[in-house]
Amino acid sequence: MSANDAGFKAALEEAKASASEGGVPIGACLVDANGKILGRGHNMRVQKGSATLHGETSALENAGRLPASAYKGSTMYTTLSPCDMCTGACILYKVSRVVMGENNTFVGGEEYLKQRGIEVVNLHSAECEQLMKNFIQKHPEDWYEDIGEDK
């Protein structure tokens, strides 16, 4: 797993797209066991006034309705450590691996993913971290709302 993986590149493109739309810069991409992109998306809470469209849930939504077998051996690439909601979605659909860009700005359900047998890989991407830091500095109220905090 590396920053050169097509799934991670797609997730990073999605994060940048969200940032350019004024949204939380988190992108995700779901890739099947054979390397085929099933769905990709980005956080759309600000853009659509959504309560649930985080990067990972957006990627799952864009993948559409799939049989359970489609998720076997899949990888969820995400630019940030997944929150509890996105962690739960990965567990529900039995994603095999979660590859994140970084977890310095936020640590989500990584330990729970591991407890449930899901491989967790952190790429320590400085680019992902800078995207988040810039957003948090400029829009702290949107960030804290996004992670369910009252700040």
Side-chain angles (χ1 to χ4, degrees):
M1 302 290 104
S2 79
N4 292 320
D5 292 358
F8 182 71
K9 288 180 178 181
L12 186 54
E13 288 171 8
E14 291 289 338
K16 291 176 181 178
S18 187
S20 73
E21 297 165 358
V24 182
I26 301 171
C29 182
L30 180 65
V31 177
D32 75 7
N34 297 315
K36 177 185 173 197
I37 292 177
L38 298 174
R40 53 188 278 176
H42 56 270
N43 189 302
M44 298 285 290
R45 290 191 75 248
V46 172
Q47 299 93 312
K48 290 194 172 185
S50 171
T52 58
L53 279 178
H54 280 193
E56 298 88 340
T57 56
S58 181
L60 286 164
E61 179 70 18
N62 290 330
R65 185 175 170 188
L66 299 171
S69 60
Y71 302 101
K72 186 175 175 126
S74 66
T75 299
M76 177 65 79
Y77 289 89
T78 179
T79 56
L80 184 65
S81 179
C83 73
D84 289 342
M85 177 177 64
C86 296
T87 292
C90 289
I91 291 168
L92 175 70
Y93 290 107
K94 297 177 180 55
V95 169
S96 296
R97 179 182 309 107
V98 172
V99 177
M100 73 187 83
E102 63 101 1
N103 69 354
N104 288 333
T105 56
F106 176 79
V107 177
E110 297 169 37
E111 289 307 313
Y112 190 46
L113 288 166
K114 292 175 188 176
Q115 288 171 9
R116 297 298 298 262
I118 297 172
E119 180 184 359
V120 176
V121 177
N122 187 345
L123 298 178
H124 304 284
S125 167
E127 187 173 10
C128 290
E129 185 174 345
Q130 196 58 55
L131 273 170
M132 287 307 305
K133 284 182 174 178
N134 290 345
F135 181 82
I136 293 167
Q137 183 179 20
K138 292 177 185 172
H139 306 284
E141 66 290 345
D142 290 334
W143 168 243
Y144 288 110
E145 177 188 308
D146 194 67
I147 59 172
E149 297 285 330
D150 189 24
K151 297 272 179 174

